[in-house]
Amino acid sequence: MARRKKLKNSSLLQVLIGVVILAFITVIGGNLDSDLLDKLQQDVQTDSLENVQDDTTSISSNNAETKVDGNLVVDFIDVGQGDSILIRQGEHAMLIDGGTSECKDDLLSFLKSEGIEKFDYIVGTHPHEDHIGSLDDVVNEYDFDTILFPKVTTTTNTFENLVNAVNSKGKKFTTPLSGTEYTLGDATFKILAPSSDSYQSLNNYSIVIKLTYGNNSFIFTGDAESLSETEILNSFDDLSADVLKLGHHGSTTSTSMKFLNAVSPKYAVVSVGKDNSYNHPTKTTMDKIKDKGIPLYRTDEQGTIECVSDGENITFNVEPGSYNYMGE
Ligand SMILES: [Zn+2]
C-alpha cells in the first residue's frame, strides 16, 4: 500500500518514464516477438516500473541478436536411418544426436573433415540407438563443455556405453528444463521439450530445440511424437520457424497438423535411411508437407544436407527432394 501511494504521488515522473519507454519500444518493436511486447506494454501500464526496467534489459540483448555478423551452418548428416545434426556458429559447435553405432566411421570422418575441434554442446535427444549409437565415440574423441540428455535411462548397451564415455571424461549429463535458453556464439536456443516427468514412449522424452540466429530459426524435434507436440503447443506461443526437422523420421506418430501449422516452416528436413525397415517416411506426413508446398530435403535422397543462415536468409547446398513415401 505504501509503495502504491508513493507511486501515485510521483505519477508525473511515472508518466514521463512511461513515455520514454514506450518510445523505446516503438523504435525497436519491429524486432520483438509480440508476447514480450505485450508483457512490456502491460508492465508499463501498471505500477511495476522495476519489471519494465528488467525487461528492457533483456529486450536490448534480444534486439542485438537480430543483427548478426557471420553465418550459422547446419549440417543434417547422412547417417542412414537415424539422426545427427551439426550446428556451427563462428568457433562454436553443437552436435544433436550421433546416429547408429554403424555410422561411427562416417560420422567421425565427417566431423574431422569439417575441422571440428571441440563442442560447446552435445545433445542426446533420447536414448534410442539411432540417435545415440555413435555418440559415445564422439564423446571419447572430442572435448565438450556440456552434454544435454533427458532424465530417462534404459538398460541397453548403447546407453551404458554413452554413460561410461561421459563418466570417463569426468562429465555429467545436464537435464535441460523446458523453457531454458542457451547460447551458441551469436545464436541462442531454447528447450521446448520434454516438459513432463514421465512418458510411455521413449520418443516423447526427446529434447526439442528451437534455435534462433538473427531473424532465422530452426526447430529440431528428435523423435518427439504428437503428445509432446501438444505439450509444446500448450507451453509456447511463438513456434514459427524457417526450418523444421520433421519428428521421428517422418513417421505418422509426429508432425501433427496443429504443430505443423504453428511452426509453419518455409523448409522441412527429414533424416531417414534409404530402404529402411521402419517404412519411414509415411504417406500421411509426406502429404501434409506436399499439400502445403513446403520444399522437403531428405538425407536418403540428398545425402548430407548443408543449410546456411546469414541471419536473414537461408540457403541449402542441394535441391529439394521428393515427397515419396514408404509406409502409409
Ligand atoms: Zn529415431
Side-chain angles (χ1 to χ4, degrees):
M1 285 299 285
R3 184 170 180 271
R4 183 167 289 271
K5 199 175 177 185
K6 190 181 157 202
L7 279 167
K8 203 174 177 182
N9 289 340
S10 62
S11 58
L12 182 62
L13 177 66
Q14 190 185 345
V15 167
L16 281 170
I17 293 171
V19 166
V20 170
I21 290 168
L22 278 171
F24 180 57
I25 292 164
T26 309
V27 170
I28 65 169
N31 293 323
L32 300 180
D33 77 54
S34 57
D35 283 350
L36 212 46
L37 196 58
D38 285 350
K39 188 164 180 279
L40 247 177
Q41 286 172 328
Q42 206 179 348
D43 284 343
V44 171
Q45 282 154 15
T46 66
D47 290 336
S48 185
L49 284 173
E50 285 151 358
N51 282 351
V52 173
Q53 279 156 357
D54 283 353
D55 279 349
T56 41
T57 307
S58 69
I59 296 293
S60 301
S61 62
N62 204 5
N63 187 45
E65 281 165 18
T66 60
K67 293 168 190 156
V68 289
D69 187 19
N71 287 335
L72 176 84
V73 182
V74 180
D75 289 293
F76 298 91
I77 307 167
D78 179 15
V79 288
Q81 180 68 13
D83 268 20
S84 188
I85 303 161
L86 173 66
I87 303 166
R88 281 165 292 169
Q89 204 293 298
E91 298 299 304
H92 302 272
M94 165 170 170
L95 185 72
I96 302 179
D97 286 333
T100 61
S101 50
E102 290 91 74
C103 79
K104 174 191 165 184
D105 292 340
D106 288 345
L107 177 61
L108 291 180
S109 66
F110 178 79
L111 296 176
K112 197 176 173 191
S113 71
E114 294 295 311
I116 300 299
E117 289 178 357
K118 66 158 280 200
F119 291 101
D120 297 51
Y121 304 93
I122 293 175
V123 182
T125 59
H126 66 297
H128 275 151
E129 203 267 343
D130 58 322
H131 296 254
I132 62 162
S134 293
L135 216 49
D136 56 330
D137 301 296
V138 174
V139 165
N140 286 329
E141 197 74 25
Y142 288 92
D143 284 337
F144 60 91
D145 294 332
T146 304
I147 180 161
L148 300 173
F149 205 81
K151 200 168 190 176
V152 62
T153 58
T154 55
T155 54
T156 59
N157 286 339
T158 316
F159 179 65
E160 279 178 27
N161 290 342
L162 177 60
V163 172
N164 290 337
V166 172
N167 283 341
S168 70
K169 283 272 171 128
K171 296 278 190 180
K172 286 197 164 124
F173 288 137
T174 297
T175 307
L177 295 173
S178 173
T180 307
E181 284 198 1
Y182 296 86
T183 302
L184 180 75
D186 287 339
T188 58
F189 63 95
K190 186 190 270 188
I191 306 298
L192 303 182
S195 57
S196 294
D197 291 334
S198 65
Y199 297 94
Q200 277 196 329
S201 166
L202 264 187
N203 288 337
N204 281 326
Y205 285 91
S206 287
I207 294 174
V208 178
I209 285 171
K210 180 173 179 179
L211 178 93
T212 302
Y213 183 66
N215 290 318
N216 291 142
S217 53
F218 298 71
I219 292 185
F220 305 104
T221 51
D223 282 354
E225 299 181 355
S226 51
L227 185 148
S228 174
E229 292 174 355
T230 301
E231 288 185 333
I232 293 169
L233 285 163
N234 291 338
S235 304
F236 298 95
D237 290 327
D238 181 15
L239 294 173
S240 64
D242 298 289
V243 180
L244 174 65
K245 200 283 304 184
L246 298 181
H248 198 193
H249 322 284
S251 161
T252 50
T253 58
S254 309
T255 321
S256 58
M257 198 49 109
K258 268 192 172 176
F259 187 70
L260 185 60
N261 284 338
V263 177
S264 189
K266 289 195 190 97
Y267 311 99
V269 178
V270 64
S271 188
V272 67
K274 208 175 252 179
D275 303 325
N276 67 82
S277 57
Y278 300 92
N279 289 331
H280 294 155
T282 59
K283 180 179 191 303
T284 310
T285 304
M286 291 299 95
D287 282 353
K288 288 176 188 168
I289 304 299
K290 185 181 177 183
D291 290 349
K292 287 182 177 293
I294 302 167
L296 175 70
Y297 297 85
R298 42 196 298 169
T299 56
D300 61 342
E301 292 184 359
Q302 276 85 47
T304 293
I305 298 154
E306 187 164 277
C307 174
V308 177
S309 157
D310 64 3
E312 289 294 334
N313 298 297
I314 290 175
T315 50
F316 286 82
N317 69 331
V318 287
E319 293 299 311
S322 74
Y323 299 103
N324 293 345
Y325 53 87
M326 285 186 67
E328 289 302 306

